[in-house]
Coordinates of all heavy atoms in Angstrom, one line a residue:
G153 N 82.5 -39.6 -174.1 CA 81.1 -40.1 -173.9 C 80.9 -40.4 -172.5 O 81.8 -40.9 -171.8
L154 N 79.6 -40.2 -172.1 CA 79.2 -40.5 -170.7 C 79.4 -42.0 -170.4 O 79.0 -42.9 -171.2 CB 77.7 -40.2 -170.5 CG 77.1 -40.5 -169.2 CD1 77.5 -39.6 -168.1 CD2 75.5 -40.5 -169.3
I155 N 79.9 -42.4 -169.2 CA 79.9 -43.7 -168.7 C 79.2 -43.7 -167.4 O 79.6 -42.9 -166.5 CB 81.3 -44.3 -168.7 CG1 81.3 -45.7 -168.1 CG2 82.3 -43.5 -168.0 CD1 82.6 -46.5 -168.3
E156 N 78.2 -44.5 -167.2 CA 77.4 -44.4 -166.0 C 76.8 -45.7 -165.6 O 76.5 -46.6 -166.4 CB 76.2 -43.4 -166.3 CG 75.4 -43.1 -165.0 CD 74.5 -41.9 -165.3 OE1 73.3 -42.1 -165.8 OE2 74.9 -40.7 -165.1
L157 N 76.7 -45.9 -164.2 CA 76.1 -47.1 -163.7 C 75.1 -46.8 -162.7 O 75.3 -46.0 -161.7 CB 77.2 -48.0 -163.0 CG 76.6 -49.3 -162.4 CD1 76.1 -50.3 -163.4 CD2 77.6 -50.0 -161.4
K158 N 73.9 -47.3 -162.9 CA 72.8 -47.2 -161.8 C 72.7 -48.6 -161.1 O 72.8 -49.6 -161.7 CB 71.5 -46.9 -162.5 CG 71.4 -45.4 -163.0 CD 70.1 -45.2 -163.7 CE 70.0 -43.8 -164.2 NZ 68.8 -43.5 -165.0
V159 N 72.4 -48.5 -159.8 CA 72.1 -49.7 -159.0 C 70.7 -49.4 -158.4 O 70.5 -48.4 -157.7 CB 73.1 -49.9 -157.9 CG1 72.7 -51.1 -157.1 CG2 74.5 -50.2 -158.5
N160 N 69.8 -50.3 -158.8 CA 68.4 -50.1 -158.3 C 67.8 -48.7 -158.7 O 67.1 -48.0 -157.9 CB 68.2 -50.3 -156.8 CG 68.7 -51.7 -156.5 OD1 68.5 -52.7 -157.2 ND2 69.3 -51.9 -155.3
G161 N 68.2 -48.2 -159.9 CA 67.7 -46.9 -160.4 C 68.5 -45.7 -159.9 O 68.2 -44.6 -160.4
Q162 N 69.4 -45.9 -158.9 CA 70.2 -44.7 -158.4 C 71.6 -44.7 -159.1 O 72.2 -45.7 -159.1 CB 70.4 -44.9 -156.9 CG 69.1 -45.1 -156.1 CD 68.5 -43.8 -155.7 OE1 68.1 -43.0 -156.6 NE2 68.2 -43.6 -154.5
V163 N 72.0 -43.5 -159.5 CA 73.3 -43.4 -160.1 C 74.4 -43.7 -159.1 O 74.4 -43.0 -158.0 CB 73.5 -42.0 -160.8 CG1 74.9 -41.9 -161.3 CG2 72.5 -41.8 -161.9
R164 N 75.3 -44.6 -159.4 CA 76.4 -44.9 -158.5 C 77.7 -44.4 -159.1 O 78.6 -44.0 -158.3 CB 76.5 -46.5 -158.3 CG 75.5 -47.0 -157.3 CD 76.1 -47.0 -155.9 NE 75.2 -47.8 -155.0 CZ 75.4 -49.1 -154.7 NH1 76.4 -49.7 -155.2 NH2 74.6 -49.7 -153.8
Q165 N 77.9 -44.7 -160.4 CA 79.2 -44.2 -161.0 C 78.8 -43.4 -162.2 O 77.9 -43.7 -163.0 CB 80.0 -45.4 -161.5 CG 80.6 -46.3 -160.4 CD 81.5 -47.3 -161.0 OE1 81.1 -48.4 -161.3 NE2 82.8 -47.0 -161.1
T166 N 79.4 -42.2 -162.3 CA 79.2 -41.4 -163.5 C 80.5 -40.7 -163.9 O 81.2 -40.1 -163.0 CB 78.0 -40.4 -163.4 OG1 77.8 -39.8 -164.6 CG2 78.3 -39.4 -162.3
S167 N 80.9 -40.8 -165.1 CA 82.2 -40.1 -165.6 C 82.1 -40.0 -167.1 O 81.0 -40.0 -167.7 CB 83.4 -41.0 -165.1 OG 84.6 -40.3 -165.4
D168 N 83.3 -39.8 -167.7 CA 83.3 -39.6 -169.1 C 84.6 -40.4 -169.6 O 85.6 -40.4 -168.9 CB 83.5 -38.2 -169.5 CG 83.2 -37.9 -171.0 OD1 84.1 -38.2 -171.8 OD2 82.0 -37.6 -171.3
L169 N 84.4 -41.0 -170.8 CA 85.5 -41.8 -171.3 C 86.8 -41.0 -171.5 O 87.9 -41.5 -171.5 CB 85.1 -42.5 -172.6 CG 83.9 -43.4 -172.6 CD1 83.7 -43.9 -174.0 CD2 84.2 -44.6 -171.7
S170 N 86.6 -39.7 -171.7 CA 87.7 -38.8 -171.9 C 88.6 -38.7 -170.7 O 89.8 -38.2 -170.7 CB 87.3 -37.4 -172.3 OG 86.5 -36.8 -171.2
K171 N 88.2 -39.2 -169.5 CA 88.9 -39.1 -168.3 C 89.9 -40.3 -168.1 O 90.5 -40.4 -167.1 CB 88.0 -38.9 -167.1 CG 87.3 -37.6 -167.1 CD 86.5 -37.3 -165.9 CE 85.9 -35.9 -166.0 NZ 85.0 -35.7 -164.8
M172 N 89.9 -41.2 -169.0 CA 90.9 -42.3 -168.9 C 92.3 -41.8 -168.9 O 92.6 -40.9 -169.6 CB 90.7 -43.3 -170.1 CG 89.5 -44.2 -170.1 SD 89.6 -45.3 -171.5 CE 87.9 -45.9 -171.5
I173 N 93.1 -42.3 -168.0 CA 94.5 -41.9 -167.9 C 95.2 -42.4 -169.2 O 95.9 -41.6 -169.9 CB 95.2 -42.5 -166.7 CG1 94.6 -42.0 -165.4 CG2 96.7 -42.3 -166.8 CD1 95.0 -42.6 -164.1
W174 N 95.0 -43.6 -169.6 CA 95.5 -44.2 -170.9 C 94.3 -44.4 -171.8 O 93.4 -45.2 -171.5 CB 96.2 -45.5 -170.6 CG 97.4 -45.2 -169.7 CD1 97.5 -45.4 -168.4 CD2 98.7 -44.8 -170.2 NE1 98.7 -45.0 -167.9 CE2 99.5 -44.7 -169.0 CE3 99.3 -44.5 -171.4 CZ2 100.8 -44.2 -169.0 CZ3 100.6 -44.1 -171.4 CH2 101.4 -43.9 -170.3
A175 N 94.3 -43.6 -172.9 CA 93.2 -43.7 -173.9 C 93.2 -45.1 -174.6 O 94.3 -45.8 -174.6 CB 93.3 -42.6 -174.9
V176 N 92.1 -45.4 -175.3 CA 92.1 -46.8 -175.9 C 93.2 -47.0 -176.9 O 93.8 -48.1 -176.8 CB 90.7 -46.9 -176.6 CG1 90.7 -48.2 -177.5 CG2 89.6 -47.0 -175.5
P177 N 93.6 -46.1 -177.8 CA 94.7 -46.4 -178.7 C 96.0 -46.7 -177.9 O 96.9 -47.5 -178.3 CB 94.8 -45.2 -179.6 CG 93.5 -44.6 -179.5 CD 93.0 -44.8 -178.1
E178 N 96.2 -45.9 -176.8 CA 97.4 -46.1 -176.0 C 97.4 -47.5 -175.3 O 98.5 -48.1 -175.2 CB 97.5 -45.0 -174.9 CG 97.7 -43.6 -175.6 CD 97.7 -42.5 -174.5 OE1 96.7 -42.5 -173.7 OE2 98.6 -41.6 -174.6
V179 N 96.3 -47.9 -174.8 CA 96.1 -49.2 -174.1 C 96.5 -50.3 -175.1 O 97.2 -51.2 -174.9 CB 94.7 -49.4 -173.5 CG1 94.5 -50.8 -173.1 CG2 94.5 -48.4 -172.3
I180 N 95.9 -50.2 -176.3 CA 96.1 -51.3 -177.4 C 97.6 -51.3 -177.7 O 98.2 -52.4 -177.8 CB 95.2 -51.0 -178.6 CG1 93.7 -51.2 -178.2 CG2 95.6 -51.9 -179.8 CD1 92.8 -50.7 -179.3

Side-chain angles (χ1 to χ4, degrees):
L154 174 77
I155 176 169
E156 187 166 89
L157 177 71
K158 290 180 180 173
V159 178
N160 302 326
Q162 307 275 57
V163 174
R164 280 272 190 95
Q165 291 187 269
T166 186
S167 187
D168 195 280
L169 300 178
S170 62
K171 294 186 178 176
M172 286 186 197
I173 296 171
W174 297 94
V176 169
E178 294 173 314
V179 168
I180 292 170

